[in-house]
Amino acid sequence: MNRYLRTIALLCVLAPLSFSSFAQSEQGAPGDAIVISSGLEGGGYWLTGNRLKAAGINAGLNIENRSSTGSLSNLKALMDPDSPVNIAFAQADALQFYLQDRPSEAASIETIRRLGEECVFIISGSKSGVKNLGDIENAKRFHLGIKSPNSGIRVTFDHMTTLVPQLKHVTVRYGDSVEMINDWVHHLSDIKRAVMVVHAPDAHSEEIDMVIANPDKYRFVKIKDTRLTQSSESGQSAYTAESVAPGAVSGASRVPTICVEGLLVSHKDKLSDAVQNRISSLSDEQWQKIQSGSD
């Protein structure tokens, strides 16, 4: 009887330990879950995040893709110790802008992959008299349409303003860019208007397609200013001067503008080294498929 009781007692002690070990095995070790903060649902970063999630799941990784309002909110979530986000998409200028007031956080951020260029496109009416950045600087009243106050586009404009302070008089309006463009025909005032979008030079968007389809109504504003590409205190510039054909449409005129690099970054302390290496290897091996969406 005593031996029987001792056996039962031993099983009672070991059972919770076994269950605990099993539960930990099922849930994964701390730092194994990958939570991406991507971008607006349906947008380029969000779609890339979904494809990265699918590729990761096929490789045995536990990945969640969370939508957001843009690069700045992605970085805030990444650096928030109470947020599970440990990987984020961000434009290089947004990262530089974010770290200006938080230089100590730079050591915790690691670049997993450089995603390629995204370029600034400012669109105005063909009869507006706004042909280049200087026209925006010199306009007495100027309204610039941007989709969201929390978007990477807004961060880009804020960063441009730190480099060209003469842009500070510009009034930013938020809302649907296409609706703003269509609304121009109803305004008869001395206010000059434009909208700004930021995306890959070969990407299509409603705004880009409207200009290309209606060159008699709309134009791309030329952005050509060495102040925008000057090096920061860190010795680097967030922007490069480029001449691109928007939307990669055959025959479309090239426009001078500035471009910024897109980044996939991680928080070193929120990912185990093993998972960090696995996600890096996955992006190296399958990034072309992930980014293009090809099978």
Side-chain angles (χ1 to χ4, degrees), residues 79 98-109 267 269:
M79 301 310 296
Y98 175 85
L99 291 174
Q100 280 180 353
D101 299 324
R102 309 169 182 87
S104 62
E105 295 184 10
S108 299
I109 300 175
H267 192 302
D269 300 329

Side-chain angles (χ1 to χ4, degrees), residues 119-122 131 219-223 242-246 252-259:
C119 299
V120 175
F121 299 104
I122 296 179
K131 299 179 180 179
R219 67 155 60 100
F220 292 108
V221 176
K222 296 178 181 179
I223 306 172
E242 305 283 349
S243 179
V244 300
S253 299
R254 303 183 75 83
V255 58
T257 187
I258 54 171
C259 299

Side-chain angles (χ1 to χ4, degrees), residues 156-170:
T156 294
F157 182 70
D158 284 344
H159 197 55
M160 289 171 65
T161 302
T162 64
L163 300 172
V164 183
Q166 290 80 357
L167 296 174
K168 288 183 178 179
H169 75 288
V170 171

Side-chain angles (χ1 to χ4, degrees), residues 120-290:
V120 175
F121 299 104
I122 296 179
I123 299 165
S124 188
S126 60
K127 298 179 181 179
S128 66
V130 181
K131 299 179 180 179
N132 53 53
L133 199 65
D135 292 329
I136 298 178
E137 292 181 62
N138 297 324
K140 292 182 179 180
R141 301 174 68 191
F142 199 95
H143 288 181
L144 183 67
I146 290 176
K147 285 185 177 181
S148 164
N150 302 310
S151 67
I153 304 171
R154 175 70 214 223
V155 176
T156 294
F157 182 70
D158 284 344
H159 197 55
M160 289 171 65
T161 302
T162 64
L163 300 172
V164 183
Q166 290 80 357
L167 296 174
K168 288 183 178 179
H169 75 288
V170 171
T171 299
V172 177
R173 302 291 188 188
Y174 301 109
D176 186 281
S177 301
V178 173
E179 289 183 6
M180 291 185 194
I181 293 173
N182 286 326
D183 197 40
W184 287 342
V185 297
H186 304 297
H187 285 281
L188 295 174
S189 72
D190 62 344
I191 301 175
K192 295 186 182 297
R193 293 173 171 81
V195 300
M196 176 170 154
V197 295
V198 180
H199 53 59
D202 59 348
H204 283 273
S205 66
E206 288 185 78
E207 298 90 345
I208 296 296
D209 290 343
M210 284 179 71
V211 184
I212 294 172
N214 302 280
D216 57 323
K217 293 182 179 180
Y218 313 112
R219 67 155 60 100
F220 292 108
V221 176
K222 296 178 181 179
I223 306 172
K224 192 173 183 180
D225 194 311
T226 55
R227 291 173 293 178
L228 293 171
T229 54
Q230 64 187 348
S231 297
S232 64
E233 293 181 1
S234 65
Q236 296 179 330
S237 172
Y239 305 115
T240 57
E242 305 283 349
S243 179
V244 300
V249 176
S250 178
S253 299
R254 303 183 75 83
V255 58
T257 187
I258 54 171
C259 299
V260 60
E261 203 164 29
L263 305 172
L264 179 62
V265 297
S266 68
H267 192 302
K268 294 179 181 178
D269 300 329
K270 286 186 171 183
L271 278 180
S272 66
D273 290 342
V275 174
Q276 176 90 9
N277 291 335
R278 289 184 68 188
I279 195 72
S280 295
S281 297
L282 178 68
S283 67
D284 287 341
E285 295 166 2
Q286 300 192 40
W287 191 254
Q288 187 172 359
K289 181 192 299 184
I290 291 169

Side-chain angles (χ1 to χ4, degrees), residues 103 117 219 295:
E117 289 183 331
R219 67 155 60 100
D295 296 328

Side-chain angles (χ1 to χ4, degrees), residues 36-38 45 48-49 52 78 86-91 109-115 261-266 276 279-280 283 287 290:
I36 309 167
S37 188
S38 55
Y45 279 159
T48 301
L52 178 59
L78 182 70
N86 44 29
I87 288 181
F89 290 100
Q91 294 166 195
I109 300 175
E110 184 166 323
T111 299
I112 295 176
R113 173 159 289 276
R114 299 182 181 277
L115 310 179
E261 203 164 29
L263 305 172
L264 179 62
V265 297
S266 68
Q276 176 90 9
I279 195 72
S280 295
S283 67
W287 191 254
I290 291 169

